[in-house]
Amino acid sequence: MSPHTFDRIIRIGAVGALLLGFWQASDASAAPPAERTDALIHLVRQDCGSCHGMQLTGGLGPALNAATLANRPREAMLATILHGRPGTPMPPWAPFLSESEANWILDQLINGFPQELARAH
């Protein structure tokens, strides 16, 4: 591959990444589809709840409610959700969540996280 072709591929990739970033940023506050919303509620209630308390009122990790989250910078909270906290039990959730989904979860935590829906077995 010639250096010119390689440079062109890099530029096209950079433009694509930039456009994807704009698209994701514009969609950050949109609610996920209903099926994914149910899965996210289950994830937070079960997986996050295992450390933050099944009612999200605190445990090994702090409470995840409006009072606890009120004065924390949103970007820091999103970074914690997506990238975890090294040296603590808080894992990174980025392999399982998009930034848009993490924003939705944070909005729900601040406004009162929904209960899980009864699931048919």
Side-chain angles (χ1 to χ4, degrees):
M1 175 181 327
S2 75
H4 176 72
T5 303
F6 182 74
D7 288 344
R8 186 168 182 204
I9 290 170
I10 295 298
R11 282 194 303 269
I12 290 170
V15 169
L18 183 63
L19 291 174
L20 179 61
F22 283 132
W23 175 76
Q24 287 178 334
S26 69
D27 196 34
S29 62
E35 183 177 289
R36 183 62 177 156
T37 298
D38 292 345
L40 293 172
I41 292 169
H42 180 77
L43 178 126
V44 171
R45 289 283 175 191
Q46 298 302 312
D47 293 288
C48 301
S50 67
C51 287
H52 294 278
M54 296 310 286
Q55 296 302 313
L56 306 176
T57 54
L60 175 63
L64 299 177
N65 55 37
T68 303
L69 304 176
N71 295 317
R72 296 185 182 192
R74 184 175 186 90
E75 290 303 317
M77 291 186 288
L78 286 173
T80 296
I81 292 169
L82 292 171
H83 306 293
R85 290 206 169 199
T88 75
M90 179 64 190
W93 291 98
F96 310 103
L97 300 172
S98 68
E99 186 171 339
S100 173
E101 291 169 336
N103 267 296
W104 181 84
I105 289 170
L106 185 54
D107 287 342
Q108 301 309 302
L109 291 170
I110 291 168
N111 294 309
F113 204 81
Q115 296 294 322
E116 280 191 84
L117 301 173
R119 296 177 182 268
H121 295 288

